[in-house]
């Protein structure tokens, strides 16, 4: 599985902490974290300001911090960090890993009362898990109010969205024969031509609930997904799925990221996810964002970085073919029907959905 959300992962991390006896970075020589009230006072001060007063006060305090520590799972963060450092002259110490490892590290450091991350930028599930553990502090202001409503979460704010789309290889799917819906991919003409990703139970949960909202019964939805899997080859990881799609190992990917397709197309691959500028609907959205740590050693610099993510950083995010959190004039989702990953449901019942999706993918073949 690509990840274990909420209780499953938190239980595993508890075991890791007990086994390791502390923070993975405690050997760096830093002292244990003091009470987090100092950081929270800075957050409250800045959250209570607006306009030029907010910007000037935040910059002054951030300059005193001098640096910040960023934990992220975003593989496209280098350009954002460089642009921030160039603009403000503040050093960003970046730790990058997959989203599960980022969460594990944050939880370990919290257990050890170690001040590691000032700000964490990662996936919704992991940020929600941190929120459940009371590790994050609210970020407020005019910039947050510009974020898509789906990205304004308790304790964290989206800076980008992953869009699960249906993508296809244009050599294997000729013009005029592109799928019109996910349902269509369960038909006999797509036998052996579809790709599914083994860990996409968040996408599965979103589409399952969408079909429920359309009046389908649980039995009919389950039957559809099993038929879809019967037509499919199962891959592990969205990067691998994109590579296999580009290589023609299957003709259609049912739940590929839009930026994976766009990046491959930019490199010359014969892949697409839109017909005449329109994707197959609905598109499933999963917010990814940033949360401020209550225990931050450099809280003002962390807030300044979050401000940057929602201003200049949006340009860098768009430059990597990702969907930014703040809609723009050339918004790739303008006029598109979307559904959002049911985050609270996945947080409350991760095993239900992971087991249900496993039962689906077990019916598919290996890519």
């Amino acid at each position: 599985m690509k990840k274990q959300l909420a209780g499953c992962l938190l239980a595993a991390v508890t075991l890791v902490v007990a086994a390791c006896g502390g923070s993975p970075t405690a050997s760096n020589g830093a002292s244990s974290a003091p009470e987090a009230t100092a950081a929270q006072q800075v957050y409250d001060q800045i959250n209570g300001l607006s306009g030029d007063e907010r910007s000037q006060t935040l910059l002054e305090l951030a300059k005193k911090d001098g640096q910040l520590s960023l934990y992220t799972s975003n593989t496209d963060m280098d350009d954002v960090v460089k642009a921030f450092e160039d603009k403000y002259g503040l050093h960003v110490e970046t730790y990058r890993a997959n989203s599960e490892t980022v969460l594990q590290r944050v939880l370990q450091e919290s257990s050890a009362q170690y001040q590691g991350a000032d700000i964490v930028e990662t996936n919704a599930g992991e940020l929600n898990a941190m929120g459940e553990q009371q590790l994050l502090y609210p970020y407020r202001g005019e910039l947050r109010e510009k974020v898509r409503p789906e990205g304004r979460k308790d304790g964290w704010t989206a800076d980008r969205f992953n869009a699960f789309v249906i993508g296809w290889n244009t050599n294997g799917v000729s013009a005029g024969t592109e799928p019109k819906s996910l349902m269509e991919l369960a038909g006999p003409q797509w036998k052996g031509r579809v790709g599914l990703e083994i860990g996409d139970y968040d996408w599965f949960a979103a589409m399952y609930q969408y079909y429920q909202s359309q009046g389908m019964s649980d039995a009919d939805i389950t039957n559809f997904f099993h038929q879809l899997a019967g037509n499919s080859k199962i891959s592990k990881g969205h990067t691998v799925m994109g590579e296999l799609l580009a290589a023609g190992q299957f003709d259609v990917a049912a739940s590929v990221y839009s930026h994976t397709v766009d990046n491959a197309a930019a490199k010359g691959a014969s892949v697409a996810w839109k017909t005449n500028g329109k994707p197959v609907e609905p598109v499933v959205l999963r917010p990814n964002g940033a949360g401020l740590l209550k225990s931050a050693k450099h809280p003002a610099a962390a807030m300044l970085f979050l401000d940057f993510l929602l201003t200049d950083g949006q340009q860098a995010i768009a430059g990597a073919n990702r969907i930014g959190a703040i809609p723009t004039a050339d918004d790739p989702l303008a006029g598109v029907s979307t559904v959002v990953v049911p985050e609270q449901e996945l947080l409350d019942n991760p095993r239900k959905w992971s087991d249900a999706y496993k039962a689906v993918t077990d019916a598919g073949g290996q890519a």
Side-chain angles (χ1 to χ4, degrees):
M1 297 290 295
K2 66 178 180 180
K3 58 180 178 279
Q4 293 290 335
L5 294 174
C8 296
L9 182 52
L10 292 176
V13 172
T14 300
L15 294 176
V16 171
V17 173
C20 295
S23 164
T25 55
S27 61
N28 290 348
S31 59
S32 296
E35 292 296 324
T37 54
Q40 293 177 33
Q41 287 173 1
V42 171
Y43 296 147
D44 287 339
Q45 177 185 357
I46 301 303
N47 279 335
L49 302 176
S50 61
D52 290 342
E53 183 184 13
R54 183 188 193 281
S55 300
Q56 292 172 7
T57 303
L58 179 57
L59 182 57
E60 289 172 4
L61 293 175
K63 291 288 188 181
K64 292 178 181 178
D65 281 346
Q67 62 179 337
L68 70 139
S69 175
L70 165 70
Y71 290 6
T72 184
S73 60
N74 186 352
T75 56
D76 295 319
M77 188 57 78
D78 287 349
D79 288 343
V80 178
V81 168
K82 184 179 186 304
F84 176 84
E85 291 179 329
D86 289 346
K87 181 171 183 176
Y88 294 112
L90 298 173
H91 174 64
V92 181
E93 188 69 33
T94 304
Y95 168 76
R96 182 182 293 105
N98 62 44
S99 58
E100 309 97 301
T101 302
V102 167
L103 174 58
Q104 289 175 1
R105 180 162 174 156
V106 169
L107 292 174
Q108 285 180 277
E109 291 180 344
S110 174
S111 178
Q113 294 187 313
Y114 175 82
Q115 284 178 293
D118 297 312
I119 183 171
V120 176
E121 199 275 359
T122 190
N123 296 344
E126 285 70 22
L127 287 165
N128 287 332
M130 293 177 209
E132 288 282 300
Q133 296 301 298
Q134 306 294 309
L135 301 181
L136 304 178
Y137 204 75
Y139 164 83
R140 301 187 179 94
E142 297 164 338
L143 290 174
R144 176 177 159 90
E145 295 307 310
K146 295 180 181 179
V147 169
R148 300 174 194 272
E150 305 94 329
R152 300 176 210 155
K153 303 299 182 180
D154 290 340
W156 61 276
T157 303
D159 65 314
R160 57 190 170 95
F161 282 80
N162 279 348
F164 294 92
V165 300
I166 295 177
W168 54 88
N169 186 302
T170 56
N171 292 327
V173 180
S174 58
T177 67
E178 300 92 347
K180 303 298 188 297
S181 69
L182 182 64
M183 282 280 185
E184 182 183 321
L185 297 179
Q189 71 272 32
W190 296 102
K191 183 70 175 179
R193 300 174 62 194
V194 181
L196 286 176
E197 202 280 319
I198 197 169
D200 275 347
Y201 68 87
D202 46 0
W203 164 82
F204 168 73
M207 289 304 300
Y208 195 104
Q209 292 193 350
Y210 167 75
Y211 289 132
Q212 285 181 320
S213 75
Q214 300 301 299
M216 287 181 64
S217 68
D218 288 344
D220 286 343
I221 298 170
T222 299
N223 183 57
F224 155 68
F225 274 109
H226 280 272
Q227 289 178 335
L228 176 65
N231 281 354
S232 301
K233 299 175 182 178
I234 311 300
S235 59
K236 184 176 182 180
H238 289 98
T239 299
V240 172
M241 172 182 268
E243 291 170 348
L244 294 174
L245 179 66
Q249 293 300 305
F250 40 75
D251 293 336
V252 180
S255 58
V256 68
Y257 290 150
S258 63
H259 64 266
T260 299
V261 180
D262 287 337
N263 288 335
K267 295 177 181 178
S270 300
V271 292
W273 62 280
K274 292 181 180 180
T275 304
N276 297 323
K278 294 288 289 184
V280 178
E281 297 177 315
V283 169
V284 175
L285 291 182
R286 187 185 68 208
N288 301 275
L292 302 168
L293 272 295
K294 286 183 178 179
S295 58
K297 187 183 294 186
H298 312 104
M303 290 193 84
L304 185 64
F305 188 79
L306 186 41
D307 275 8
F308 187 82
L309 283 174
L310 298 179
T311 50
D312 295 9
Q314 292 292 289
Q315 299 174 20
I317 288 168
N321 286 317
R322 293 179 180 266
I323 295 171
I326 298 177
T328 60
D330 57 350
D331 183 4
L333 298 179
V336 175
S337 174
T338 61
V339 295
V340 182
V341 167
E343 297 166 41
Q344 191 60 50
E345 170 65 16
L346 290 170
L347 196 62
D348 293 339
N349 300 295
R351 180 68 68 183
K352 167 188 172 182
W353 294 103
S354 62
D355 286 352
Y357 190 57
K358 183 179 185 300
V360 167
T361 55
D362 282 349
Q366 294 301 308

